Amino acid sequence: MERRDFFKKAIVVAGSAAVGSSTIEASETVHPIDNRKVSDIAFPEKRPLITYSDRPPLLESPREVFTSALTPNDLFFVRWHMPMIPKYINPNTFSISINGLVEEEIHISLKALKTEFKQVELTAVLQCGGNNRTAFKPTAGGIQWGIGAMGCAKWKGVRLKDVLKKAGLKKEAAWIGFNGEDKAVYSETANFVRELKLEHLNDDIILAYEMNGEDLPYLNGYPLRLIIPGVYSDSWIKMISNITATKEKQQLHFMEKAYRIPDNECECETPENLVKKTKPIEEMNVNSIIGYPVTGTKVKNDSSLVVRGVAFDGGHGIKKVQISINGGQLWEDALLDDGSEGKYAYRAFTYTFKPKSSGKQTIMCKATNKKGEEQPFAKDIKWNHGGYKYNGIDEVTVEVV
């Protein structure tokens, strides 16, 4: 299939979004929904995933994916905001525009990016800020994700700062805005534009055209996307085509209204008393998830069971992952991989034990990073209206036979 003519050949998949509602009056946080069915139909370049919508495409990875440091491209989750995605992209004519407060407005082709700039590669986790949103009760606004709106890939491209240097930023430039090729149906709808404060620019922020050694999948932003490791994916603009330097921060819906949390110590509020002062969601919380076994797996009594999963944070590094098989009363260290994929990547872990009695057996995992931050129990996470930044201790329940 030609990636540049994607939607002419795409199968239209009926969505199974679970927006949901709640009759719970007091706010609370529980474990997110973890039993949704994988679709019978696959989108192009993807294996069957949990499908919420086909326009825009919204696909979640199933739990079984999270057992290794890298997520395969065809099992990687998909999140678009705008329903109108180009049907045709020609890589031979595609270019990205750099404009605004620059010495020279320039257009850089895909070929030029690959041949005229230093090529860099880094591994980083991409996670939606609303991952696990179904944990929040009453229902928080947004896509009702389970546990799989995340993935980890090896991204290859060029440093953003090198591209900006070629255009020549003017001294008064302070903000960099990013826009992609997806559009809203109605002209009144704001474009999905995100901004980065220039002082936050670093060597790890790149414009990527490859993912795990292949061209970006169409649904993951082909032919070019922004990579800002360590932060939630709302700023990782897909199909990026325009970069604008400005002096002042622009008044943008997706900066001033969306992807924001209460600006207080607990980053929390209640449905009856929403906080007025907010801040953007940025650095990812420490987190971990069990990929195997999944809830409902049958295992034999007194046989070795190898628990597998992944842990990550916003780039400080994972110090340890611990497993509990008695409801969190006792925790034992899991075995971590060597961390060779880097500080922004998953750390895969394993833990082996022998179930000693028949019946239900709950397995829990908890990660701690090098700053000393550790995952809380789900019940200890406070509610926010956007359902953002959930990182509760994960658990699965197997049947010992």
Side-chain angles (χ1 to χ4, degrees), residues 183-256:
K183 299 290 186 291
V185 173
Y186 301 105
S187 59
E188 293 83 3
T189 304
N191 286 332
F192 190 74
V193 178
R194 298 288 291 175
E195 288 188 305
L196 174 72
K197 201 167 186 177
L198 189 57
E199 65 185 41
H200 295 155
L201 184 62
N202 61 59
D203 286 351
D204 293 331
I205 299 175
I206 69 173
L207 298 172
Y209 50 79
E210 281 189 11
M211 179 176 171
N212 290 330
E214 302 175 349
D215 287 347
L216 285 170
Y218 202 99
L219 288 175
N220 292 113
Y222 178 86
L224 193 69
R225 76 174 300 161
L226 181 65
I227 307 298
I228 309 181
V231 305
Y232 290 98
S233 66
D234 50 285
S235 294
W236 295 40
I237 300 296
K238 295 178 292 298
M239 284 188 183
I240 188 170
S241 59
N242 190 78
I243 298 176
T244 302
T246 60
K247 180 180 180 179
E248 305 291 342
K249 182 180 179 183
Q250 301 178 70
Q251 295 300 306
L252 302 166
H253 172 76
F254 287 101
M255 290 293 293
E256 303 302 321

Side-chain angles (χ1 to χ4, degrees), residues 8-19:
K8 289 183 180 178
K9 299 177 177 66
I11 298 173
V12 177
V13 183
S16 59
V19 174

